[in-house]
Amino acid sequence: MSDPRSTVLHHRHTALGASFTDFGGWLMPVRYTSDLAEHHAVRSAAGLFDISHMAEFEVTGSVAGDYLDAALAGVLSAMPVGKAKYSLVLAVDGGIIDDVIVYRLADERFLVIANAGNRAPVWAALQQRAEGWDVELRDLTDEYALLAVQGPAALSVLEATPGLTTTGVALADTRYYAWASAEFAGEPLLLARTGYTGEDGFELMVPIAAAEALWDALLAAGAPFGLVPAGLASRDTLRLEAGMPLYGHELSLQVTPTQAGLGRAVAMDKPEFVGRKGLGSRDGSDVPVLVGLASAGRRAGRAGYAVLGPDGERVGEVTSGALSPTLGHPIAMAYVAPVFATPGTELALDVRGTRIPATVTPLPFYRRKK
């Protein structure tokens, strides 16, 4: 197995005292000071994340939209320029290869952002599905860095960052799941109002050469607003509270979109797309479905822990769990048999041999105030 890669900002993270872990084949900062402090900073002010491990693919051509309609689960051809859309890359049998965000950059140009650990399978799928289509695909991952500013103060931080300017639209007027052309210190920048924390925020895609200067500028501009650098640990508890799935936990090749509560991302009325026949041939009446679980006390269920029914029988398995920093009690996402999936159902978690009562709860656990 090869050593994990480092992002262009690795030396910045080291200087800030970050602890690291291998995530998706990349050496990424887990935390700088404290998981809790970084989590609370994002909920109350802002956090700055290095997400340069994500994969970026460009799709161009006069039929690029139609190609993506056939390659992915959603309808991308109808998306206006300037917008973004959540979608899925499905296997032939309907399992999930990855969840992605697609941006329409121009009439004939799209950007697909995939998870770091799925760069190879998504790239392979896009290439294979391009056969017979007059489109050009480019893997841009090694050309760009990706930073995220997340939290209620995110807009203020970006507005205060010297050298950062948008073209054609004010930062404040950029809508959720939309993007704007921007510049930083003379370098082009794609600025999208998207994120993975449940808070307002922006993701900034910048050429590698400008990444360190942008990181430094954002940290300096954000300090008066309470912005801190934030690592993967806080990102995980933030997305869990927001009920956002993580590939390898809630999503996998063994899971279908409907099981994961993502049926809305699949356009079954399209005449054809990869995975359509597989989904249509499945009997989904008795397969496990994703639910939220809330419990009292301080002991949280973790990935792999058993979910128990009223008689102590195993009825499911936790995929992600933590003591929620915002809510103050344990939360988890889990796959359970459909008969136990109704909100309010009383179940239990097997936490290292101890039965911890848990209640099925609608997702998300946390929703920011508008």
Side-chain angles (χ1 to χ4, degrees):
M1 181 178 290
S2 59
D3 292 335
R5 300 179 60 188
S6 298
T7 76
V8 68
L9 296 168
H10 182 80
H11 294 299
R12 292 296 195 272
H13 304 320
T14 300
L16 289 166
S19 301
F20 294 90
T21 190
D22 184 341
F23 184 80
W26 292 78
L27 194 61
M28 299 299 295
V30 180
R31 67 186 61 82
Y32 298 86
T33 55
S34 142
D35 303 353
L36 283 176
E38 292 165 25
H39 180 108
H40 287 307
V42 174
R43 288 280 182 252
S44 63
L48 175 61
F49 299 85
D50 177 11
I51 53 173
S52 303
H53 58 311
M54 303 291 281
E56 297 92 29
F57 308 112
E58 182 185 67
V59 182
T60 56
S62 60
V63 294
D66 295 329
Y67 155 71
L68 287 171
D69 285 350
L72 306 183
V75 178
L76 292 313
S77 60
M79 180 169 53
V81 174
K83 296 294 186 180
K85 189 171 185 175
Y86 180 86
S87 195
L88 299 167
V89 185
L90 300 181
V92 172
D93 67 357
I96 300 173
I97 294 175
D98 201 14
D99 61 337
V100 298
I101 297 181
V102 182
Y103 301 81
R104 189 162 200 163
L105 306 182
D107 286 341
E108 301 181 0
R109 184 176 172 226
F110 293 78
L111 177 70
V112 179
I113 296 189
N115 287 296
N118 289 329
R119 177 182 179 180
V122 171
W123 181 235
L126 291 176
Q127 288 182 303
Q128 182 180 27
R129 296 168 194 191
E131 292 181 10
W133 290 91
D134 187 16
V135 294
E136 181 180 350
L137 307 180
R138 290 180 61 211
D139 184 344
L140 306 179
T141 307
D142 296 332
E143 300 176 30
Y144 291 89
L146 198 59
L147 310 184
V149 180
Q150 300 285 300
L155 175 61
S156 298
V157 171
L158 265 61
E159 289 178 331
T161 302
L164 178 61
T165 58
T166 54
T167 304
V169 61
L171 266 171
D173 294 333
T174 304
R175 300 297 183 90
Y176 187 56
Y177 262 70
W179 64 270
S181 293
E183 283 191 359
F184 173 73
E187 292 282 357
L189 180 72
L190 178 73
L191 189 151
R193 203 161 197 167
T194 50
Y196 193 52
T197 63
E199 294 295 339
D200 187 22
F202 297 83
E203 295 179 327
L204 301 89
M205 182 174 161
V206 64
I208 288 287
E212 292 174 301
L214 179 58
W215 174 271
D216 294 344
L218 290 168
L219 272 185
F225 299 98
L227 174 140
V228 302
L232 289 179
S234 63
R235 186 169 160 87
D236 192 49
T237 50
L238 289 160
R239 69 92 191 168
L240 174 58
E241 290 181 345
M244 294 178 170
L246 175 64
Y247 199 90
H249 288 253
E250 288 70 45
L251 307 181
S252 71
L253 285 169
Q254 287 69 50
V255 170
T256 66
T258 301
Q259 285 180 263
L262 298 175
R264 67 190 182 279
V266 182
M268 288 298 289
D269 55 345
K270 289 192 299 184
E272 189 55 67
F273 62 91
V274 177
R276 189 185 191 284
K277 291 180 181 178
L279 290 174
S281 65
R282 284 178 181 250
D283 177 8
S285 59
D286 200 35
V287 295
V289 294
L290 188 67
V291 299
L293 294 171
S295 52
R298 310 293 291 177
R299 299 187 68 183
R302 304 292 180 179
Y305 285 16
V307 180
L308 308 177
D311 298 323
E313 75 280 24
R314 186 184 181 109
V315 299
E317 183 175 300
V318 172
T319 54
S320 297
L323 176 61
S324 167
T326 303
L327 304 176
H329 61 77
I331 58 174
M333 289 194 282
Y335 279 98
V336 302
V339 68
F340 298 107
T342 305
T345 301
E346 297 296 332
L347 300 172
L349 303 178
D350 183 350
V351 180
R352 297 183 179 179
T354 301
R355 185 183 172 99
I356 304 294
T359 304
V360 176
T361 304
L363 296 171
F365 300 103
Y366 166 86
R367 198 183 300 273
R368 70 182 176 93
K369 296 177 181 179
K370 301 296 184 181

